[in-house]
Amino acid sequence: PFCSSSAFSSPSLASLLCLSPRRRPGRTSPGRLVPFDCCTRTGAAYLARDWARAAELLQRALHSYAGLRAARRACAPPAPGGALPFPRGGPGRWEAACLGRRLRPAPSAHRASSAVRRDFERREPYNYLQVAFFKLKKLDQAVSAAHTFFVANPQHLQMREDIEKYRRMSGVKSDSFRDLEATPHWVRAGVQHYDADEYLQAVASLEESLTEALSALEECRALCEGPWEDEDEEEQMQPGLYEAIAGTHYIQVLKCRQQCVLEIATKPGRISATEDFIPSHLDLLQFAYSQAGNQTLAAECAASYLLFYPTDEPMLEKMKQYHTELGEGAAVTARQVLITRGLYFLRSLMEKKLIYYAVEHLGETFNDPVSNSIILLFCCGFTKTVVRIHFRIVLQSLLMPVCACFSIGPLPFEGIAVTMDSQQMNGTQRVVFDRVLTESECKDLLRLTKAAGEAGDGYRARRSPHTPHERFEGLTVLKAVQLAQNGDVEWRDAKLLLQASEKSRKIIESYFAPGKKLHFSFTHLVCRTAVDGEQEGRMDLSHPVHADNCLLDPEGQECWKEPPAYVYRDYSGILYLNDDFQGGGLFFTEMDSVTVTAEVRPKCGRLVAFSSGKENPHGVWAVSRGRRCAVALWYTHSQEHAEQVKGRAGEINTSTFKGDQIPLRNSFWVFP
């Protein structure tokens, strides 16, 4: 049944099967590790249907790949000041000497192309291995290989079908579906015991998972060491000695290390990482130890959690409770392992400072994996309390240039008022502005919405895509300008939409991201109208709870930043045009999508803005009477994902109007 397996059509077949005659495996003496990419005979054996030989070579390649990673982990340079001193020559010589002892042949023989490395990271060999084992009628091994590949590639449709075929086969055991590359810290036993109120079992499993996670973090950082090859980029110039050492190699190692926190927190088969992966372990352990009656360890876990989020009010209250229960004289400290490892993220921040120096002085580029909300937590709370004085001093010097990028900026127009800020809205990066538009401007834009029902962008007052109890009308900026060009709507109304959306962009950019450009991602003038006679006993929402740049998973308390979500969106805004309807208010929730944390009532000229990530799940209450209209706005820092129609609309408008500008209070005419 696997004759049509997608293994034969993999785009990286040549690289995986190592068809290049660069090296040949030959025979190896005991103790020698065959370079994992020298399986030149695998391709020939596989295509010749010599399944036994193909399986042997693939297993040998996987074994060598694991052996190489183990050697590199074991040979990571010891931390300065550790128990083992560096040999003469420093950490580089330490690693070279260690690898030279552990690897036979020489370490240079174990280098592989980036394409081959990526194939092994994606577990591609297991895709081919399962076919070979199936042909050899070794079903248990075939199932394990297939399952191992599928765990890391759940979107692989052919393998999904193969897995289902295996499940229906007689003689296939359920325990054969095991992940041969399973990472221990992703075992969910601790959470399962926790949910079942089995706290003694929960702490044992959670402690093991936390230990494995910290170990995986160190192993990931160790694997960043060693030779660095990037065959996908052509060198534009020959670097000097200083740039070659600092920019080309060491900075690449630091960038790699920055990704390790995300790598260990990314479940196999997912694209986005679980945020707060290690702090969440400490939070669960704190509660589990408390329920199990061990207040000393519960307090230790709480203190450790506060190293990450020192202003977390519920945990600070817990700490007060533990101090009372244990006695004021009891010493409550965070776990030594987190402190001795540089406070986990303090080390990361020090490395980040070096990377930013290279960006400024060596022409490097860097996409920081740390989210804005985490930086804000560092900036707004971390340097104030809990942490010892010497850590505060170091952090202030490290974070000063970073925090400046996320400080709240001034408003660029007079007359606009901040009605509610993040604190008043019980969240992060949320704000409500009033008086962005006048009553007259709202009426002019509402006049434009009538065209949306007649000639809108594919909706034309059809049922809403989110609920059958409302009709939906939508109009993009480009469509509005085209309608004006055809004489279907007033030019001044179309131009007002352009100006209002640009004004909103400048307000949000100045408030949330001073000094950093925000581009339009998408702009939509949209109305939702309650369907008469269909509101009795209605229980649904006008727009279900969601996040704007990730896939909300309320049960798992996660938000996966991966397609089909618009992952490039950074900020969202809603500019309201009216309030003569019933329902339709915006609300924010916790990650569970149920616990409401803030509500915003629409009214003319009110702009609500917020960051687009997991920190701001939101929905819209049902519109039970009347028609609710607003301009929905999304923004991105990525110029690559900037809304192209916005510029096109500006071109049409300026070429038609020849500078005849419609007055808009505090407005200006700019197209990004």
Side-chain angles (χ1 to χ4, degrees):
F2 299 100
C3 292
S4 60
S5 172
S6 60
F8 291 102
S9 59
S10 170
S12 55
L13 178 62
S15 64
L16 176 66
L17 299 183
C18 310
L19 297 177
S20 167
R22 185 172 52 148
R23 302 191 195 107
R24 295 188 178 275
R27 295 191 177 184
T28 59
S29 58
R32 290 171 64 87
L33 193 65
V34 177
F36 70 93
D37 70 331
C38 5
C39 47
T40 54
R41 298 179 185 175
T42 305
Y46 192 94
L47 296 175
R49 300 177 180 264
D50 185 352
W51 306 118
R53 182 60 174 159
E56 176 192 352
L57 290 173
L58 283 165
Q59 287 178 291
R60 183 186 297 182
L62 288 166
H63 172 75
S64 296
Y65 179 69
L68 177 62
R69 289 172 62 89
R72 290 184 62 187
R73 286 194 298 265
C75 291
L84 295 174
F86 286 131
R88 185 178 302 172
R93 184 169 177 180
W94 164 279
E95 183 182 22
C98 177
L99 287 174
R101 290 193 305 270
R102 289 177 176 269
L103 295 179
R104 297 290 187 273
S108 60
H110 293 272
R111 295 184 184 180
S113 69
S114 58
V116 172
R117 291 199 306 269
R118 282 195 297 269
D119 284 332
F120 276 78
E121 289 166 2
R122 291 194 295 253
R123 305 187 184 183
E124 286 286 350
Y126 288 100
N127 191 0
Y128 300 90
L129 191 57
Q130 66 99 9
V131 176
F133 278 138
F134 176 79
K135 297 296 184 180
L136 294 170
K137 302 189 184 305
K138 296 182 178 181
L139 280 184
D140 285 345
Q141 291 171 279
V143 170
S144 297
H147 183 73
T148 301
F149 174 79
F150 187 62
V151 164
N153 300 273
Q155 75 288 348
H156 199 285
L157 298 181
Q158 181 62 53
M159 188 58 77
R160 183 187 299 275
E161 293 181 13
D162 291 352
I163 289 288
E164 290 304 315
K165 291 174 184 176
Y166 279 129
R167 292 190 188 280
R168 295 193 296 267
M169 288 182 184
S170 60
V172 174
K173 303 173 184 176
S174 59
D175 57 3
S176 295
F177 292 89
R178 60 185 183 276
D179 183 3
L180 302 175
E181 299 280 346
T183 48
H185 62 277
W186 274 110
V187 177
R188 301 282 294 173
V191 176
Q192 292 166 0
H193 289 306
Y194 182 92
D195 292 339
D197 296 337
E198 300 167 349
Y199 296 111
L200 288 176
Q201 297 94 320
V203 295
S205 296
L206 287 168
E207 287 284 15
E208 182 181 2
S209 178
L210 178 60
T211 300
E212 293 290 349
L214 292 172
S215 176
L217 177 63
E218 297 307 309
E219 289 181 359
C220 176
R221 291 172 59 83
L223 291 172
C224 289
E225 301 282 350
W228 189 271
E229 300 176 12
D230 192 348
E231 301 176 1
D232 298 327
E233 297 182 7
E234 296 182 3
E235 291 190 23
Q236 300 297 321
M237 57 177 290
Q238 185 67 30
L241 177 62
Y242 174 73
E243 290 82 359
I245 295 173
T248 306
H249 185 86
Y250 185 58
I251 297 303
Q252 302 303 327
V253 172
L254 294 182
K255 290 180 182 179
C256 175
R257 288 176 178 173
Q258 289 292 306
Q259 296 292 331
C260 284
V261 173
L262 298 184
E263 183 170 322
I264 69 162
T266 303
K267 191 174 183 179
R270 305 301 313 199
I271 298 174
S272 52
T274 301
E275 289 190 18
D276 294 338
F277 186 68
I278 289 180
S280 67
H281 277 72
L282 296 167
D283 189 14
L284 293 173
L285 278 168
Q286 172 270 142
F287 185 81
Y289 273 124
S290 176
Q291 295 299 111
N294 193 331
Q295 305 304 99
T296 301
L297 288 179
E300 179 187 81
C301 292
S304 301
Y305 180 89
L306 288 170
L307 289 176
F308 298 86
Y309 297 109
T311 59
D312 186 87
E313 293 185 5
M315 196 61 76
L316 288 172
E317 288 298 319
K318 284 285 187 182
M319 282 299 296
K320 291 180 182 178
Q321 178 183 331
Y322 292 138
H323 276 296
T324 301
E325 294 174 357
L326 296 173
E328 290 300 327
V332 178
T333 59
R335 294 198 168 184
Q336 191 65 25
V337 66
L338 294 173
I339 296 174
T340 55
R341 287 184 178 178
L343 275 181
Y344 174 72
F345 46 77
L346 178 57
R347 173 180 61 183
S348 175
L349 288 169
M350 291 176 175
E351 294 170 348
K352 200 185 301 290
K353 187 177 182 181
L354 293 175
I355 295 173
Y356 284 133
Y357 180 89
V359 169
E360 181 178 359
H361 298 285
L362 299 176
E364 289 286 336
T365 58
F366 178 51
N367 294 321
D368 197 333
V370 179
S371 67
N372 293 4
S373 59
I374 300 298
I375 287 290
L376 279 172
L377 286 167
F378 287 155
C379 297
C380 300
F382 186 69
T383 60
K384 295 180 181 178
T385 183
V386 177
V387 188
R388 299 172 183 173
I389 290 294
H390 64 280
F391 282 137
R392 284 212 304 268
I393 294 172
V394 172
L395 276 170
Q396 285 171 350
S397 65
L398 286 171
L399 287 171
M400 194 173 298
V402 181
C403 293
C405 299
F406 298 98
S407 59
I408 300 302
L411 298 180
F413 306 105
E414 295 180 0
I416 297 173
V418 176
T419 306
M420 290 191 289
D421 59 17
S422 294
Q423 184 175 0
Q424 293 168 308
M425 297 177 75
N426 304 311
T428 301
Q429 297 200 83
R430 303 173 182 173
V431 65
V432 175
F433 304 100
D434 276 332
R435 300 198 292 272
V436 175
L437 297 176
T438 65
E439 291 287 344
S440 174
E441 291 162 353
C442 286
K443 289 179 181 178
D444 290 344
L445 287 176
L446 285 170
R447 184 169 62 240
L448 183 62
T449 64
K450 294 180 180 179
E454 299 170 2
D457 292 347
Y459 299 108
R460 302 192 180 188
R462 295 173 183 169
R463 298 292 175 130
S464 166
H466 307 297
T467 171
H469 304 294
E470 297 174 16
R471 282 191 292 270
F472 198 71
E473 302 158 283
L475 195 67
T476 63
V477 171
L478 180 59
K479 187 66 176 181
V481 173
Q482 289 172 339
L483 290 173
Q485 193 175 35
N486 296 334
D488 296 323
V489 300
E490 294 281 345
W491 262 113
R492 64 179 294 121
D493 295 344
K495 191 168 185 178
L496 179 60
L497 175 60
L498 283 163
Q499 292 180 320
S501 60
E502 171 64 15
K503 184 179 182 181
S504 300
R505 185 191 70 81
K506 292 298 293 183
I507 294 170
I508 296 172
E509 178 184 76
S510 180
Y511 187 84
F512 280 132
K516 196 171 182 181
K517 181 74 172 178
L518 274 184
H519 305 278
F520 287 100
S521 170
F522 188 56
T523 307
H524 203 199
L525 176 60
V526 60
C527 295
R528 306 164 189 267
T529 305
V531 177
D532 292 338
E534 295 189 14
Q535 304 303 314
E536 187 75 25
R538 181 178 172 187
M539 300 293 291
D540 66 342
L541 297 171
S542 178
H543 198 152
V545 176
H546 63 285
D548 285 341
N549 70 9
C550 55
L551 305 176
L552 191 62
D553 176 9
E555 292 186 5
Q557 295 285 292
E558 293 296 340
C559 202
W560 304 105
K561 200 165 184 179
E562 56 193 61
Y566 299 100
V567 298
Y568 47 83
R569 289 179 176 174
D570 293 301
Y571 289 96
S572 307
I574 306 171
L575 179 58
Y576 295 109
L577 303 180
N578 65 320
D579 59 5
D580 54 342
F581 53 88
Q582 193 171 74
L586 178 74
F587 63 94
F588 293 89
T589 73
E590 299 284 5
M591 285 283 290
D592 60 10
S593 77
V594 175
T595 307
V596 176
T597 57
E599 297 186 60
V600 180
R601 173 65 187 170
K603 75 172 189 177
C604 167
R606 172 165 287 176
L607 172 65
V608 56
F610 48 92
S611 55
S612 303
K614 62 176 286 186
E615 64 278 3
N616 284 316
H618 58 282
V620 179
W621 298 119
V623 179
S624 55
R625 181 178 60 81
R627 184 169 179 256
R628 171 193 184 271
C629 294
V631 182
L633 305 147
W634 292 274
Y635 306 99
T636 177
H637 286 305
S638 170
Q639 190 166 5
E640 177 187 354
H641 294 99
E643 184 178 23
Q644 300 301 315
V645 297
K646 183 72 68 172
R648 175 60 183 148
E651 293 171 7
I652 295 174
N653 193 28
T654 53
S655 65
T656 304
F657 259 101
K658 306 297 184 182
D660 181 20
Q661 186 168 331
I662 302 300
L664 175 68
R665 185 166 57 88
N666 297 324
S667 68
F668 50 91
W669 192 241
V670 179
F671 289 100

